[in-house]
Each structure stands twice: as C-alpha cells, then as structure tokens.
Amino acid sequence: SASASSSHIAAPARSSGSAPTPSTLITVTSNATSAASAASSRPMPSPPAFASDPDYLGPISATPQKMVEEMLTMAGVGPEDVVFDLGCNDGRVCITAAKEHGAKAVGIEIDAGAVAKARLRAKEAGVQSMVDIKLGNVVKASIKSATVCFVYLLPKGNRKISQKLMRELPAGCKVMTYVFRLPAEEWDVHLEEMKAVSSTRERSTA
C-alpha cells in the first residue's frame, strides 16, 4: 500500500573550530500512523545474540526497493560516488547504487547471515566488483571515504550514530535517512527543502 511521505534536504553549516559536517541531509518519512499500525500487527522476533552489544543500533528491517531507488535518485548518485549503507541488511541499497547508478558501494552489517545474503545478491546482480559488503560494527567502522551515506535506524540508533556522522564523514557527503530522522537538535535546523513523494511498505526486490 502507498502513503504520503515527505523528504527533507538540509545543509548543515560548519561550526567554527569544529570538525566538518556533511553538507546535505535527505530524509524520507512514511506515514507514521499506518507504519505504526502495520508494525503493531506483526509479532516481535526474538532479539539476536549481538543485541546485548552496547553498540547495537537496532533490529534489521529492509528499506522498500521503491524508496531505495527514489532516495538514490534524489541524492544524485553517480559513477563518481562511493555510497555507504550503515546496517546494509540484504545489500539492496549498495546493489542498486552500483547497478543503476554506476557507483561504488560499501555495506556494513553486524549480522553474518545478512552479510552472506548481501554478498550473494551482489554476485547475482553482477556488481560484486563494485560492492564491498563488510561484516562489522557500524559504530567502529571507518566511513571517511563516503560521498553518500544511507542510514535506516530507529530513533535510538540514529541518536547513537549522529555524532559519528558529523565527526567522520567528509564535508560534502550526502546523508540519507528513511522513516526516522536524525536528532532534530543537531540536524533539523539545517532544513532547506521538503517535497512530497510516494511511499510503500513493500519490501520485495522482485
């Protein structure tokens, strides 16, 4: 089913004496009421073993393929880009960035099963030479080579990773989030543009 969504583009200014911050934030948020209703009707899975890790950022959930395509297009991803997906799940953001936009991509994922699936999907899509899926902890991973960075986390995860993004991403890097926005006190003040898009909760890549 489709619902009205909003996308937000912001350009954080660099504070005097502080580390460079990303130049652009692109956020797509789905209809909160319908999303919450759908979530409440599904049984909650048991947390994975690594959920007790203090760096745990939240459960795995795939971004709808339609929104992956929408956001990569909004960000203007091209062959000159290096797209990072922090918590890449099945690798769809990285694979789409490579296959449809000619970009190199790096996915970081703590779940070994998801990593294996993402690597297989990249190979099946014929983009394994352009996509690097890493098994690792996003909080500790190096993200300094990103020109575009995608994040789909719950608010708690976004709070944990917000300062890392500001501190480590190079100036000019575009940050994309889906559904949940980065902390308002750190990012919303830089909002420059908002436009409506069509959203869907369909997770299939078929």
Short mmCIF file of all heavy atoms in Angstrom, two decimals, residues 1-40:
data_model
loop_
_atom_site.label_atom_id
_atom_site.label_comp_id
_atom_site.label_asym_id
_atom_site.label_seq_id
_atom_site.Cartn_x
_atom_site.Cartn_y
_atom_site.Cartn_z
N SER A 1 0.84 -1.19 0.00
CA SER A 1 0.00 0.00 0.00
C SER A 1 0.87 1.23 0.00
O SER A 1 1.97 1.23 0.52
CB SER A 1 -0.91 0.00 1.22
OG SER A 1 -0.14 0.05 2.39
N ALA A 2 0.37 2.32 -0.59
CA ALA A 2 1.15 3.54 -0.68
C ALA A 2 0.62 4.57 0.30
O ALA A 2 -0.53 4.54 0.70
CB ALA A 2 1.07 4.11 -2.10
N SER A 3 1.48 5.49 0.70
CA SER A 3 1.07 6.55 1.60
C SER A 3 1.87 7.80 1.30
O SER A 3 2.93 7.75 0.70
CB SER A 3 1.28 6.13 3.06
OG SER A 3 2.64 5.85 3.30
N ALA A 4 1.35 8.95 1.73
CA ALA A 4 2.07 10.19 1.52
C ALA A 4 3.31 10.22 2.38
O ALA A 4 3.30 9.80 3.52
CB ALA A 4 1.16 11.37 1.87
N SER A 5 4.40 10.71 1.83
CA SER A 5 5.65 10.81 2.56
C SER A 5 6.25 12.18 2.33
O SER A 5 5.85 12.91 1.44
CB SER A 5 6.64 9.74 2.09
OG SER A 5 6.14 8.46 2.33
N SER A 6 7.22 12.53 3.13
CA SER A 6 7.92 13.79 2.91
C SER A 6 9.41 13.55 2.89
O SER A 6 9.91 12.68 3.60
CB SER A 6 7.57 14.79 4.01
OG SER A 6 7.94 14.29 5.27
N SER A 7 10.10 14.28 2.05
CA SER A 7 11.56 14.19 2.03
C SER A 7 12.10 15.55 2.43
O SER A 7 11.53 16.59 2.10
CB SER A 7 12.06 13.81 0.64
OG SER A 7 11.71 14.80 -0.30
N HIS A 8 13.20 15.54 3.14
CA HIS A 8 13.78 16.77 3.65
C HIS A 8 15.24 16.84 3.23
O HIS A 8 15.98 15.87 3.37
CB HIS A 8 13.69 16.85 5.17
CG HIS A 8 12.31 16.59 5.69
ND1 HIS A 8 11.82 15.32 5.88
CD2 HIS A 8 11.31 17.44 6.01
CE1 HIS A 8 10.58 15.39 6.33
NE2 HIS A 8 10.25 16.66 6.43
N ILE A 9 15.65 17.98 2.71
CA ILE A 9 17.03 18.17 2.32
C ILE A 9 17.59 19.33 3.14
O ILE A 9 17.03 20.42 3.15
CB ILE A 9 17.15 18.49 0.82
CG1 ILE A 9 16.54 17.34 0.00
CG2 ILE A 9 18.59 18.72 0.42
CD1 ILE A 9 16.53 17.60 -1.48
N ALA A 10 18.68 19.06 3.83
CA ALA A 10 19.28 20.09 4.69
C ALA A 10 20.76 20.21 4.43
O ALA A 10 21.40 19.26 4.01
CB ALA A 10 19.04 19.74 6.16
N ALA A 11 21.30 21.38 4.68
CA ALA A 11 22.73 21.61 4.50
C ALA A 11 23.32 22.14 5.80
O ALA A 11 23.24 23.33 6.08
CB ALA A 11 22.98 22.60 3.37
N PRO A 12 23.89 21.25 6.64
CA PRO A 12 24.49 21.70 7.89
C PRO A 12 25.65 22.66 7.67
O PRO A 12 26.50 22.42 6.83
CB PRO A 12 24.98 20.41 8.53
CG PRO A 12 24.17 19.34 7.89
CD PRO A 12 23.95 19.82 6.48
N ALA A 13 25.66 23.74 8.40
CA ALA A 13 26.78 24.68 8.33
C ALA A 13 27.92 24.17 9.20
O ALA A 13 27.69 23.45 10.17
CB ALA A 13 26.34 26.05 8.80
N ARG A 14 29.12 24.54 8.88
CA ARG A 14 30.27 24.13 9.68
C ARG A 14 30.48 25.11 10.83
O ARG A 14 30.61 26.30 10.62
CB ARG A 14 31.53 24.07 8.81
CG ARG A 14 32.74 23.52 9.53
CD ARG A 14 33.95 23.46 8.64
NE ARG A 14 33.72 22.64 7.46
CZ ARG A 14 34.67 22.39 6.56
NH1 ARG A 14 35.87 22.89 6.69
NH2 ARG A 14 34.39 21.64 5.51
N SER A 15 30.49 24.59 12.05
CA SER A 15 30.71 25.42 13.22
C SER A 15 32.17 25.81 13.32
O SER A 15 33.05 25.05 12.94
CB SER A 15 30.29 24.69 14.50
OG SER A 15 28.93 24.32 14.42
N SER A 16 32.44 26.97 13.81
CA SER A 16 33.81 27.44 13.96
C SER A 16 34.59 26.52 14.88
O SER A 16 34.18 26.22 15.98
CB SER A 16 33.80 28.86 14.53
OG SER A 16 35.12 29.29 14.76
N GLY A 17 35.74 26.03 14.39
CA GLY A 17 36.61 25.21 15.22
C GLY A 17 36.17 23.76 15.34
O GLY A 17 36.80 22.98 16.03
N SER A 18 35.07 23.38 14.70
CA SER A 18 34.59 22.01 14.82
C SER A 18 34.97 21.20 13.60
O SER A 18 35.40 21.74 12.58
CB SER A 18 33.06 21.99 14.98
OG SER A 18 32.45 22.46 13.80
N ALA A 19 34.81 19.89 13.71
CA ALA A 19 35.09 19.02 12.58
C ALA A 19 34.07 19.28 11.48
O ALA A 19 32.96 19.73 11.75
CB ALA A 19 35.01 17.56 13.02
N PRO A 20 34.43 19.04 10.19
CA PRO A 20 33.49 19.27 9.10
C PRO A 20 32.27 18.38 9.23
O PRO A 20 32.35 17.25 9.69
CB PRO A 20 34.32 18.90 7.86
CG PRO A 20 35.40 17.99 8.36
CD PRO A 20 35.71 18.50 9.73
N THR A 21 31.12 18.93 8.87
CA THR A 21 29.89 18.16 8.91
C THR A 21 29.40 17.92 7.50
O THR A 21 29.75 18.65 6.58
CB THR A 21 28.80 18.90 9.70
OG1 THR A 21 28.56 20.17 9.08
CG2 THR A 21 29.21 19.13 11.14
N PRO A 22 28.60 16.88 7.29
CA PRO A 22 28.10 16.60 5.95
C PRO A 22 27.32 17.81 5.41
O PRO A 22 26.68 18.54 6.15
CB PRO A 22 27.16 15.41 6.18
CG PRO A 22 27.64 14.80 7.44
CD PRO A 22 28.14 15.93 8.29
N SER A 23 27.39 18.01 4.09
CA SER A 23 26.77 19.19 3.51
C SER A 23 25.29 19.01 3.23
O SER A 23 24.57 19.97 3.08
CB SER A 23 27.48 19.56 2.21
OG SER A 23 27.29 18.55 1.24
N THR A 24 24.82 17.78 3.15
CA THR A 24 23.43 17.56 2.77
C THR A 24 22.80 16.44 3.56
O THR A 24 23.42 15.41 3.78
CB THR A 24 23.32 17.21 1.27
OG1 THR A 24 23.95 18.22 0.51
CG2 THR A 24 21.87 17.10 0.83
N LEU A 25 21.55 16.64 3.98
CA LEU A 25 20.77 15.59 4.62
C LEU A 25 19.50 15.40 3.83
O LEU A 25 18.77 16.35 3.57
CB LEU A 25 20.42 15.96 6.06
CG LEU A 25 19.41 15.04 6.76
CD1 LEU A 25 20.00 13.65 6.96
CD2 LEU A 25 18.98 15.64 8.08
N ILE A 26 19.22 14.17 3.41
CA ILE A 26 17.99 13.83 2.69
C ILE A 26 17.24 12.81 3.52
O ILE A 26 17.77 11.75 3.85
CB ILE A 26 18.31 13.24 1.30
CG1 ILE A 26 19.09 14.27 0.46
CG2 ILE A 26 17.02 12.82 0.59
CD1 ILE A 26 19.60 13.70 -0.84
N THR A 27 16.00 13.13 3.89
CA THR A 27 15.22 12.24 4.73
C THR A 27 13.87 11.94 4.10
O THR A 27 13.19 12.85 3.66
CB THR A 27 14.98 12.86 6.12
OG1 THR A 27 16.24 13.13 6.73
CG2 THR A 27 14.19 11.93 7.01
N VAL A 28 13.51 10.67 4.05
CA VAL A 28 12.18 10.28 3.58
C VAL A 28 11.46 9.63 4.75
O VAL A 28 11.97 8.71 5.38
CB VAL A 28 12.26 9.29 2.41
CG1 VAL A 28 10.87 8.79 2.04
CG2 VAL A 28 12.91 9.94 1.20
N THR A 29 10.27 10.12 5.08
CA THR A 29 9.50 9.56 6.18
C THR A 29 8.14 9.10 5.69
O THR A 29 7.44 9.84 5.00
CB THR A 29 9.31 10.61 7.30
OG1 THR A 29 8.73 11.78 6.74
CG2 THR A 29 10.63 10.96 7.94
N SER A 30 7.77 7.86 6.02
CA SER A 30 6.47 7.32 5.64
C SER A 30 5.39 7.79 6.59
O SER A 30 5.68 8.32 7.66
CB SER A 30 6.51 5.79 5.65
OG SER A 30 7.39 5.31 4.66
N ASN A 31 4.13 7.59 6.21
CA ASN A 31 3.00 7.94 7.06
C ASN A 31 3.13 7.24 8.39
O ASN A 31 3.13 6.02 8.48
CB ASN A 31 1.70 7.54 6.37
CG ASN A 31 0.49 7.91 7.17
OD1 ASN A 31 0.18 7.25 8.16
ND2 ASN A 31 -0.20 8.95 6.75
N ALA A 32 3.28 7.99 9.47
CA ALA A 32 3.60 7.41 10.78
C ALA A 32 2.48 6.52 11.31
O ALA A 32 2.73 5.46 11.88
CB ALA A 32 3.90 8.52 11.78
N THR A 33 1.24 6.92 11.10
CA THR A 33 0.12 6.16 11.64
C THR A 33 0.00 4.78 11.01
O THR A 33 -0.08 3.77 11.70
CB THR A 33 -1.20 6.92 11.43
OG1 THR A 33 -1.09 8.20 12.06
CG2 THR A 33 -2.37 6.16 12.03
N SER A 34 0.04 4.74 9.68
CA SER A 34 -0.09 3.45 9.01
C SER A 34 1.12 2.56 9.26
O SER A 34 1.00 1.35 9.39
CB SER A 34 -0.29 3.65 7.50
OG SER A 34 0.80 4.36 6.95
N ALA A 35 2.30 3.18 9.35
CA ALA A 35 3.51 2.40 9.61
C ALA A 35 3.45 1.79 11.00
O ALA A 35 3.80 0.62 11.20
CB ALA A 35 4.74 3.29 9.47
N ALA A 36 3.00 2.57 11.98
CA ALA A 36 2.92 2.07 13.35
C ALA A 36 1.88 0.97 13.47
O ALA A 36 2.07 -0.03 14.16
CB ALA A 36 2.57 3.22 14.31
N SER A 37 0.77 1.12 12.76
CA SER A 37 -0.28 0.12 12.78
C SER A 37 0.20 -1.19 12.20
O SER A 37 -0.04 -2.27 12.74
CB SER A 37 -1.49 0.61 11.98
OG SER A 37 -2.49 -0.38 11.92
N ALA A 38 0.93 -1.11 11.09
CA ALA A 38 1.45 -2.32 10.46
C ALA A 38 2.45 -3.01 11.37
O ALA A 38 2.47 -4.24 11.49
CB ALA A 38 2.11 -1.97 9.12
N ALA A 39 3.29 -2.19 12.03
CA ALA A 39 4.31 -2.77 12.91
C ALA A 39 3.67 -3.47 14.10
O ALA A 39 4.13 -4.52 14.53
CB ALA A 39 5.25 -1.66 13.38
N SER A 40 2.60 -2.88 14.64
CA SER A 40 1.98 -3.46 15.83
C SER A 40 1.25 -4.76 15.54
O SER A 40 1.01 -5.55 16.44
CB SER A 40 1.00 -2.45 16.43
OG SER A 40 -0.07 -2.20 15.54
#
